[in-house]
Amino acid sequence: MLRFSVLGALQILTAFGPADISGDLQRTLVQTLLVSEGQPVSGESLAEEMWGDAVPDNQANALQAHVSRLRRRLRDLEPDRPASRVTMHPSGYRLGVGEGELDAAEFIRAVRLAESAAPDDAARTARLLGDALGMWRGPVFGGFAGGTLCQLAGARYEEYRMRAMELRFDAELRLGRHSAVLAELTEAHTNHPLRERFCEQLMIALYGSGRQADALDVFRRMRRHLDDELGIQPSPALRRVESAILSHDPALTGDLRLQPA
């Protein structure tokens, strides 16, 4: 069994340790097949991902040569596997990946489980998402994004990462760990200054840590930033958090998603 990792630089893990895929074209080929999650990818799409506008004249032969090279590499890593992972179909090429073999798929599964968890299961949710976020070793594909298909997949995985962070912070705050997550929330808000949910959570964490003035200052700075960058006002949800802090609303230590009056 192999494990493929794209939440960081492309990596293939074997029973004997990590195995490299050498060459930019080979890495792009593997990444494109992986993010297609078992669905065939047309030869035209693969060629565009690999070569962009510089597709060679003998595109079909060049692509077939790279596919054959990949088959040999994977066969060397799994000599006992009865059939090649890379197969050809009428609609294109497919890389077979089983359950638990692709870190991005496992990560998304964990986020979806967390989204369906009950609010009173905060401890389990925090552990689940802490473990899931630990899968990330760096930028998707190590920053080597390839073409459009890989870039779209990378943006999708990154959005799931943001969602996982939000859900984990919600769970930690429900558990009363306001001070424990302050540093991480500050970093998340600094790195994603237009993502209002991180701002809401940071304000709640500061308030729960006895720092009401700092929480309100975060709101004021966010309001200025939104006005300067986008010409908009804070969302109703963010304004409700400010109002709750000003009125010492007990909901701040209970249901973290304050409902409109």
Side-chain angles (χ1 to χ4, degrees), residues 2-3 11 22 37 41 45 52 87 100 102 107 111 135 160 169 200 233 235 260:
L2 301 179
R3 281 186 56 85
Q11 191 176 72
S22 60
E37 298 181 0
V41 184
S45 295
T87 53
L102 177 62
F107 179 76
V111 177
M135 296 181 187
Y160 268 103
F169 289 141
E200 294 174 36
Q233 292 299 306
S235 66

Side-chain angles (χ1 to χ4, degrees), residues 11 18-19 25 28 40 51 59 74 77 115 118 122 146 149 180 190 214 225-226 231 234 248 261:
Q11 191 176 72
L25 291 175
T28 301
W51 288 287
Q59 169 188 319
L74 294 178
L77 297 177
E115 287 178 326
L149 293 177
T190 300
D214 290 337
H225 190 66
L226 289 171
H248 301 281

Side-chain angles (χ1 to χ4, degrees), residues 129-165:
L129 292 173
D131 291 342
L133 287 164
M135 296 181 187
W136 286 73
R137 299 171 291 107
V140 180
F141 312 128
F144 181 77
T148 302
L149 293 177
C150 288
Q151 291 169 15
L152 289 173
R156 176 170 169 257
Y157 297 152
E158 180 64 22
E159 183 58 34
Y160 268 103
R161 187 172 76 91
M162 295 296 100
R163 180 63 176 146
M165 292 171 66

Side-chain angles (χ1 to χ4, degrees), residues 203-247:
M203 291 168 63
I204 292 169
L206 286 166
Y207 177 80
S209 301
R211 297 169 57 181
Q212 178 178 347
D214 290 337
L216 294 172
D217 185 59
V218 167
F219 175 82
R220 286 190 288 268
R221 286 188 280 112
M222 182 66 168
R223 182 173 57 194
R224 288 195 300 269
H225 190 66
L226 289 171
D227 186 38
D228 292 343
E229 293 292 322
L230 302 176
I232 62 174
Q233 292 299 306
S235 66
L238 190 54
R239 292 198 300 271
R240 284 196 295 273
V241 173
E242 181 211 20
S243 177
I245 290 173
L246 289 169
S247 63

Side-chain angles (χ1 to χ4, degrees), residues 19-97:
D20 294 328
I21 293 293
S22 60
D24 289 351
L25 291 175
Q26 281 285 290
R27 284 196 294 273
T28 301
L29 173 60
V30 175
Q31 289 173 182
T32 307
L33 291 171
L34 283 173
V35 301
S36 299
E37 298 181 0
Q39 298 301 310
V41 184
S42 70
E44 291 78 8
S45 295
L46 285 172
E48 185 175 345
E49 288 289 303
M50 294 169 67
W51 288 287
D53 295 331
V55 176
D57 293 335
N58 57 342
Q59 169 188 319
N61 290 339
L63 178 58
Q64 182 58 51
H66 276 283
V67 170
S68 296
R69 179 181 167 190
L70 175 60
R71 282 196 181 110
R72 289 194 299 271
R73 178 60 173 146
L74 294 178
R75 186 167 58 246
D76 289 343
L77 297 177
E78 291 183 298
D80 297 330
R81 190 179 179 89
S84 174
R85 281 183 179 266
V86 183
T87 53
M88 188 173 182
H89 301 263
S91 53
Y93 294 93
R94 175 182 180 272
L95 174 60
V97 179

